[in-house]
Amino acid sequence: MGRTGRFLGVGIFLVAVLGLVPWLIEATGRWDFYYTLTSVALLSIASAGVWLTFYIGRINIGQGAYALAGGYVSAILITKYDVSFWLTVPLAGLFCAVLSVFIGLPILRLRGVYFAMVTLVLTEVARLTALALPITNGAKGIASIPLPSAVTVGGITLIPDFAELANVKLAFYYVAVVLMIACYAGLYRLVNSRLGHLCRSLQQNEELAASIGVNVTYLRIVAYAISSFLGGIGGAIFISISQSVYPSSFQVADSINFMLNCFLGGLGYVFGPMLGTLVLYFGWDLLFEAGRFQLLIYASLLIFLMVALPNGLLSLRLPARWRRGG
Amino acid sequence: MEQIIANGLYLGAQYALIALGLTLIFALMNVLNFAHGQLYVIGGFVTYTIYGQLGLPYVVALAATAISLALLGGIIEKFLFRPVIRRSSREESTMLLAAGIAFLLDAIILLVFGEKQRGVPKILNGVLNLDFRLIMPYDRILICGLAIFFITAFILYMQYSKTGRALRALAQDRTAAYLMGVDVERYSMIGFALGAMLAGIVGGLLVTITGVNLGMGGPTSIKAFMMVMIGGAGVISGAIAGGLILGMMESVGLSVFSEYGDVTYLVIFATLMVFLAIRPQGLMGKPWG
């Protein structure tokens, strides 16, 4: 695709998610889709983080741990210290990033399946920690978290108080989608920067990269910290929508889903996790009609997709003659 | 004290048997089998159906469990893993497949056996009581003995049979084994079937004591991963060591931390993280195996 084609694609995408989708929901009256789509946007932010760790050649099944940590940081800051929600989101991200540096220093030395297994265990550690610590309120969790408050700078209201809004779902949808767009734009920029090329060198051969002077340890930590930052942000906004957080808000199944999103979309494509999240989450939601066969159909489709397209959905290519035209 | 050690041994023998299957599959195909816990649950349900429902002898039930799980494992390998491994550009893609299979097996268990907790009649009555310092029901001792028997049989099989030699060659170096005339595809299938069979046997053993329910699959997989990490992935001795160590830690932890509530696993996880920071490949694993 040329430069014009790319701009056109981005333009169509922006119009679709910011204009067309709300209009369609308004027209059809399916208000519940707002919640689904908002969840998709938030989960795809966390999945983007997982994708970045895939990009340095690590299988990350621990994103649930950071999403949970981010959620708790935000919830505790809002309920106990009266911090504005909008401030707690970056703080939650930063907390997760710092945490991930300490956790990452030892475990990023592991590779392949070892790293995958240890991150899976990490998710379980996060859940048990949330159960054991006094500040997280154990199994009872933190409930009835207030909605995001207004932000005013010099008398001008930048963001209205969510509690006074007529349509909170729409507001959350816009917040999530705008953040998702910013996140993927950033990720795209990162992957195509010098740092991205260095990350790719790690994915292919760490020893070779180290031998030509790439600071492997530093790069791994940076990539993992960014990944955890995204996980923390996703988790923090998620809990403000559900207005509650429990140790089971993000658990092993969620961590595995974050990883599946990346696989399904395709590991070689920046926008893969977004598509993967949409397909997986929406597919699960639509299959709700199937009742007790929901899980059976879902799993069969997943296996079928994997057998048919082992390299992800985005590996489906348009016929060659169309590609040359674009 | 004797009680804690006996409990640890009993748990450890079961755990080691689960970890053996997982590590075998990993060593042969480099596949992290997320569905291992589900295979264990299915094994439990098959034994429950044949021994508990139909009333056939326990030995028959256990044999039927082993055979049906081996068949299931073989089918999964031949029709699902093999085509994906052949065509995928990154071998991690098998993890998506494994997770999908775990979901699928969960769904099948839910539809066929339901979500209720199931138990079977005791196979042995009575309790061994040594001076009230060591109390152990006879059926637990029998199950523990059976587990040790299966572990020994598995090791002997891997060590001295032709199939075992081929499997070990495959685990060491796939290409070299292929060049030496080992039928790689056939033995991959046998290996996967063997791994699934071990998981099923543990399910069949433990259903007589703890019963079985749908939700046991996931946590069992996580425990199996931990044992494999402690011992080192893809090493038979490591899996046994990992199983015994985890069993002991759980038994000791439950008695030491009993007054602090449910922190045993938190402590075990934290210890594991520190341990892996010092020795990333586990006790007996080869570095980056």
Side-chain angles (χ1 to χ4, degrees):
Chain A
M1 253 195 300
R3 185 171 274 267
T4 6
R6 207 175 304 156
F7 273 122
L8 203 64
V10 172
I12 291 173
F13 177 75
L14 287 182
V15 170
V17 293
L18 293 177
L20 206 57
V21 169
W23 180 76
L24 273 177
I25 289 177
E26 190 98 28
T28 54
R30 288 296 300 265
W31 294 98
D32 54 320
F33 274 180
Y34 271 133
Y35 181 73
T36 314
L37 286 172
T38 311
S39 305
V40 168
L42 292 176
L43 294 177
S44 69
I45 292 175
S47 303
V50 180
W51 186 87
L52 191 64
T53 34
F54 269 116
Y55 206 66
I56 59 164
R58 292 287 193 281
I59 308 162
N60 186 351
I61 329 179
Q63 192 71 322
Y66 294 105
L68 190 66
Y72 266 112
V73 168
S74 170
I76 290 169
L77 285 178
I78 293 175
T79 52
K80 299 233 164 91
Y81 302 98
D82 248 348
V83 183
S84 162
F85 164 76
W86 303 105
L87 197 60
T88 66
V89 173
L91 281 178
L94 276 180
F95 175 82
C96 289
V98 172
L99 186 69
S100 75
V101 171
F102 287 109
I103 296 176
L105 270 175
I107 70 167
L108 277 168
R109 291 168 59 211
L110 306 173
R111 283 184 200 186
V113 184
Y114 289 90
F115 185 79
M117 286 193 286
V118 89
T119 47
L120 188 69
V121 170
L122 189 66
T123 318
E124 202 54 20
V125 172
R127 191 179 69 87
L128 290 173
T129 313
L131 272 175
L133 284 183
I135 195 167
T136 53
N137 209 7
K140 283 193 290 279
I142 301 172
S144 58
I145 301 164
L147 284 168
S149 52
V151 175
T152 42
V153 175
I156 307 159
T157 312
L158 289 179
I159 304 165
D161 193 337
F162 272 39
E164 291 163 13
L165 279 184
N167 194 344
V168 184
K169 282 181 180 164
L170 183 66
F172 269 124
Y173 172 76
Y174 275 122
V175 169
V177 165
V178 167
L179 258 179
M180 178 184 80
I181 292 169
C183 155
Y184 276 88
L187 194 65
Y188 184 80
R189 182 74 195 85
L190 180 83
V191 165
N192 288 296
S193 69
R194 190 170 170 278
L195 192 66
H197 291 297
L198 290 175
C199 287
R200 208 145 55 236
S201 76
L202 290 192
Q203 182 193 334
Q204 282 159 0
N205 190 331
E206 276 190 20
E207 282 78 18
L208 190 62
S211 75
I212 53 173
V214 177
N215 191 343
V216 174
T217 322
Y218 169 76
L219 261 183
R220 282 195 305 224
I221 294 283
V222 168
Y224 191 56
I226 296 174
S227 152
S228 310
F229 181 81
L230 294 176
I233 285 187
I237 305 178
F238 208 94
I239 64 109
S240 92
I241 293 178
S242 59
Q243 292 186 285
S244 58
V245 58
Y246 304 99
S248 56
S249 291
F250 290 98
Q251 43 190 349
V252 171
D254 297 285
S255 281
I256 293 181
N257 278 335
F258 287 136
M259 177 195 72
L260 293 186
N261 294 338
C262 297
F263 272 127
L264 193 71
L267 296 180
Y269 313 92
V270 179
F271 300 105
M274 206 199 289
L275 182 67
T277 316
L278 183 74
V279 171
L280 270 187
Y281 199 90
F282 235 96
W284 176 250
D285 237 41
L286 288 180
L287 283 176
F288 185 72
E289 320 269 323
R292 48 194 238 134
F293 296 104
Q294 185 183 23
L295 186 61
L296 187 72
I297 300 174
Y298 178 77
S300 312
L301 283 178
L302 206 60
I303 293 175
F304 170 76
L305 270 178
M306 204 53 219
V307 175
L309 298 168
N311 296 318
L313 282 180
L314 283 180
S315 66
L316 264 183
R317 288 286 174 185
L318 297 171
R321 113 188 103 86
W322 289 10
R323 237 189 304 160
R324 247 179 281 129
Chain B
M1 193 64 214
E2 291 91 339
Q3 185 70 47
I4 296 173
I5 291 175
N7 284 347
L9 264 179
Y10 156 76
L11 270 177
Q14 316 293 335
Y15 284 176
L17 209 49
I18 302 182
L20 270 181
L22 187 72
T23 215
L24 178 70
I25 292 173
F26 174 70
L28 290 179
M29 315 177 52
N30 230 351
V31 166
L32 191 56
N33 187 15
F34 280 110
H36 211 70
Q38 274 76 15
L39 291 172
Y40 154 85
V41 173
I42 291 184
F45 272 116
V46 172
T47 306
Y48 159 76
T49 311
I50 296 178
Y51 172 65
Q53 300 285 95
L54 301 179
L56 293 173
Y58 183 65
V59 183
V60 177
L62 206 56
T65 307
I67 294 168
S68 50
L69 261 291
L71 276 177
L72 182 65
I75 291 171
I76 290 177
E77 199 280 332
K78 187 166 164 60
F79 293 107
L80 297 175
F81 278 106
R82 196 181 296 171
V84 171
I85 290 177
R86 200 175 56 229
R87 292 174 39 220
S88 151
S89 58
R90 288 181 69 165
E91 61 180 16
E92 294 101 321
S93 301
T94 54
M95 290 176 74
L96 174 70
L97 183 63
I101 292 173
F103 288 146
L104 181 71
L105 292 180
D106 258 341
I108 293 174
I109 296 169
L110 181 65
L111 287 176
V112 177
F113 298 106
E115 53 197 317
K116 285 206 196 90
Q117 164 84 18
R118 303 286 187 186
V120 297
K122 271 184 178 296
I123 45 175
L124 269 183
N125 283 315
V127 174
L128 176 75
N129 188 342
L130 287 181
D131 213 12
F132 285 102
R133 280 186 309 168
L134 177 64
I135 299 170
M136 200 85 177
Y138 283 129
D139 56 349
R140 289 200 181 209
I141 298 174
L142 177 71
I143 294 301
C144 181
L146 276 176
I148 294 171
F149 164 75
F150 281 120
I151 292 172
T152 324
F154 177 75
I155 293 174
L156 291 177
Y157 184 71
M158 287 302 275
Q159 209 62 36
Y160 295 110
S161 75
K162 187 157 175 270
T163 317
R165 219 168 23 245
L167 289 176
R168 278 186 293 135
L170 212 59
Q172 264 179 18
D173 192 325
R174 211 179 168 81
T175 321
Y178 180 68
L179 291 174
M180 293 298 119
V182 176
D183 187 345
V184 171
E185 294 208 327
R186 179 158 166 258
Y187 281 104
S188 294
M189 193 169 92
I190 292 178
F192 206 103
L194 211 56
M197 190 178 90
L198 287 176
I201 286 178
V202 190
L205 291 177
L206 279 182
V207 74
T208 62
I209 292 171
T210 53
V212 63
N213 68 58
L214 174 65
M216 287 163 96
T220 308
S221 291
I222 292 183
K223 276 186 191 171
F225 289 164
M226 288 175 57
M227 297 172 235
V228 166
M229 272 190 288
I230 295 172
V235 190
I236 288 175
S237 54
I240 296 171
L244 284 175
I245 291 173
L246 188 70
M248 279 294 171
M249 281 167 87
E250 212 179 300
S251 167
V252 172
L254 283 178
S255 62
V256 173
F257 298 118
S258 56
E259 53 205 277
Y260 302 104
D262 204 8
V263 293
T264 308
Y265 258 83
L266 189 58
V267 173
I268 293 180
F269 282 134
T271 323
L272 181 68
M273 301 287 256
V274 176
F275 168 71
L276 283 177
I278 301 163
R279 198 170 164 79
Q281 72 269 34
L283 279 178
M284 301 174 187
K286 8 173 203 191
W288 320 131

